[in-house]
Amino acid sequence: MEKYRAFLKQKIEYCYQNRLNKITHIGYGIDNNFMRGTMTSIVSFCLNNQDRALNFHIVTYDLLEENKRRFETIAKSYNVNINIYIINTRYFKDLPVLESFNLPMSMYFRFALPMILKNINRLLYIDGDIICLKSIKNLFEVNLDNNIIAAVSDQDGINNERNKVLNLKNHIYFNSGMLLIDVKKWNEINFFEKAKELLINNAKKYVLPDQDVLNKILINKVKYVDCIYNCFVDYRNCEKEINNKDIVLLHFSAMPKPWNVGWYISEACNDFNCNLYNYYEQKTPWKDIPLYEPRTYHEIYIYAKSLYNNHQYFEWIKWRLKWGLLRIKSIMKN
């Protein structure tokens, strides 16, 4: 474990709470593309868990000065602690990434969090596209029954397909967006080294790299919890009818994200979730920042499809041409 001290290049602390009870540690692994969603996620936890001493931990590698100021503003405004860990990316450089499909290097940063935070007992890892709608008290009180994590099962199609590819028997494939982690047990099995070995030796097998190796390594070490703790916006991972009022953690798992211009015309946007993200973002330093346009060819493809479905044909042609040009450049590059 000591050799991973070299992980850290810098630690930045914005500490504005000093309560000693109900201490709750929540972690994110992100790059600059997910700063906006993560700050909104943090504020949603703050507003719905005011009885808890919230300590947020952000693992990243390239933090803009303006985002440092934004994190400090949030910590000060909501009386919470935000700890930022700038890490050395050389430990991740050999791992497979798919930037065009929103699978960047930062998806692996969750693997490092338990090593960095080795002195705490329980960590709630959250993807930067999840917002909190209710108290997380019951989630944090879940008995892990000697398991390493608590998680929520993924949708049936992914469950069946990934278990078959990964040769996982009698396993329920879980989504990695929310992980309640027993930090000590995680580190005892040397998770990071095992994950690196799997990914480097057989990268093509793991098309959902971070999630696949989590399921591969943690088989039979998972406590499954209700989908209200990692509910996809279209409820694909819920096997039962769900009351919107029961949802604790809402996951904007697909593209476009709600900070993109395509969100409001996407199939995932509905009467319940349409403005939920925006409600919390308006309480962050991002409140006056325009929505992002799509950048990667995968994002552009999805946006163009939504434009077509909404009969915006002129815009569809424009973005479809942009997609074609980026696709050609990608093919020529490879």
Side-chain angles (χ1 to χ4, degrees):
M1 190 69 66
E2 293 303 315
K3 71 177 180 177
Y4 289 111
R5 287 182 178 179
F7 256 162
L8 291 182
K9 296 171 66 175
Q10 183 186 9
K11 182 180 178 182
I12 303 168
E13 298 176 284
Y14 302 122
C15 299
Y16 290 92
Q17 74 84 13
N18 54 13
R19 286 180 289 170
L20 298 177
N21 63 324
K22 296 185 180 178
I23 297 175
T24 303
H25 295 279
I26 301 173
Y28 301 83
I30 57 173
D31 57 21
N32 275 308
N33 292 322
F34 261 71
M35 293 291 169
R36 184 172 187 165
T38 296
M39 292 188 206
T40 302
S41 177
I42 287 173
V43 167
S44 73
F45 276 97
C46 293
L47 291 175
N48 291 301
N49 296 276
Q50 297 183 40
D51 62 325
R52 307 189 75 86
L54 297 178
N55 287 264
F56 295 97
H57 305 274
I58 315 295
V59 177
T60 188
Y61 68 97
D62 181 21
L63 186 62
L64 300 175
E65 288 299 320
E66 62 202 55
N67 285 331
K68 292 180 184 178
R69 293 191 292 271
R70 286 166 176 152
F71 275 122
E72 184 173 20
T73 297
I74 291 172
K76 187 174 182 179
S77 298
Y78 294 97
N79 298 312
V80 297
N81 295 341
I82 297 180
N83 305 283
I84 301 170
Y85 308 90
I86 310 297
I87 63 170
N88 193 329
T89 57
R90 68 186 178 89
Y91 288 96
F92 302 88
K93 66 180 179 63
D94 296 325
L95 303 182
V97 298
L98 289 168
E99 295 280 357
S100 60
F101 285 88
N102 281 359
L103 294 173
M105 180 192 298
S106 57
M107 66 180 157
Y108 301 117
F109 293 171
R110 76 197 74 195
F111 297 170
L113 270 165
M115 293 189 297
I116 294 171
L117 303 173
K118 61 182 181 180
N119 293 322
I120 71 171
N121 295 320
R122 191 170 277 203
L123 169 70
L124 179 62
Y125 169 82
I126 294 292
D127 275 355
D129 53 4
I130 289 178
I131 59 172
C132 178
L133 304 181
K134 294 179 64 176
S135 169
I136 55 173
K137 175 180 180 293
N138 291 339
L139 176 59
F140 252 82
E141 292 179 355
V142 165
N143 186 344
L144 291 179
D145 297 325
N146 211 35
N147 290 295
I148 295 177
I149 65 166
V152 172
S153 60
D154 213 313
Q155 57 181 303
D156 287 344
I158 288 181
N159 188 0
N160 296 331
E161 191 265 339
R162 297 316 299 156
N163 281 342
K164 182 177 180 180
V165 171
L166 300 173
N167 195 30
L168 299 177
K169 307 295 185 183
N170 301 315
H171 176 64
I172 301 173
Y173 188 90
F174 59 85
N175 182 270
S176 61
M178 184 288 293
L179 304 173
L180 182 63
I181 302 171
D182 183 311
V183 173
K184 182 179 178 181
K185 286 185 170 64
W186 177 287
N187 287 328
E188 282 176 349
I189 68 167
N190 203 11
F191 181 93
F192 185 75
E193 286 298 331
K194 289 181 178 179
K196 281 187 69 175
E197 183 179 357
L198 287 174
L199 288 163
I200 291 172
N201 292 338
N202 202 354
K204 292 183 179 180
K205 184 176 183 178
Y206 304 107
V207 297
L208 301 173
D210 60 316
Q211 191 163 275
D212 281 352
V213 297
L214 278 160
N215 277 270
K216 187 79 172 175
I217 296 171
L218 297 178
I219 187 171
N220 298 322
K221 299 179 178 69
V222 183
K223 171 80 172 187
Y224 291 92
V225 293
D226 196 284
C227 69
I228 61 172
Y229 296 116
N230 183 4
C231 185
F232 298 172
V233 289
D234 54 6
Y235 305 170
R236 287 169 299 158
N237 61 327
C238 293
E239 295 180 353
K240 58 181 181 180
E241 289 294 323
I242 186 168
N243 189 324
N244 291 335
K245 294 180 180 179
D246 293 332
I247 299 172
V248 178
L249 300 175
L250 184 65
H251 192 172
F252 296 91
S253 53
M255 290 190 285
K257 303 302 182 185
W259 55 88
N260 296 131
V261 292
W263 165 249
Y264 290 99
I265 60 171
S266 70
E267 294 178 354
C269 183
N270 57 45
D271 290 342
F272 166 65
N273 65 40
C274 183
N275 293 306
L276 271 177
Y277 172 87
N278 184 61
Y279 170 81
Y280 291 105
E281 186 178 83
Q282 288 302 305
K283 297 168 177 31
T284 78
W286 292 89
K287 61 183 179 181
D288 296 320
I289 307 298
L291 297 176
Y292 293 154
E293 290 192 342
R295 287 168 283 187
T296 69
Y297 68 78
H298 190 50
E299 290 176 346
I300 291 172
Y301 175 82
I302 292 173
Y303 183 46
K305 182 180 178 181
S306 295
L307 288 168
Y308 184 87
N309 290 339
N310 283 271
H311 312 296
Q312 299 180 41
Y313 299 122
F314 180 78
E315 285 294 303
W316 167 70
I317 292 171
K318 183 176 75 173
W319 284 97
R320 184 71 180 185
L321 288 172
K322 287 184 178 182
W323 175 82
L325 290 173
L326 277 179
R327 183 66 174 161
I328 291 169
K329 288 180 181 178
S330 176
I331 292 171
M332 292 177 65
K333 183 179 178 180
N334 296 325

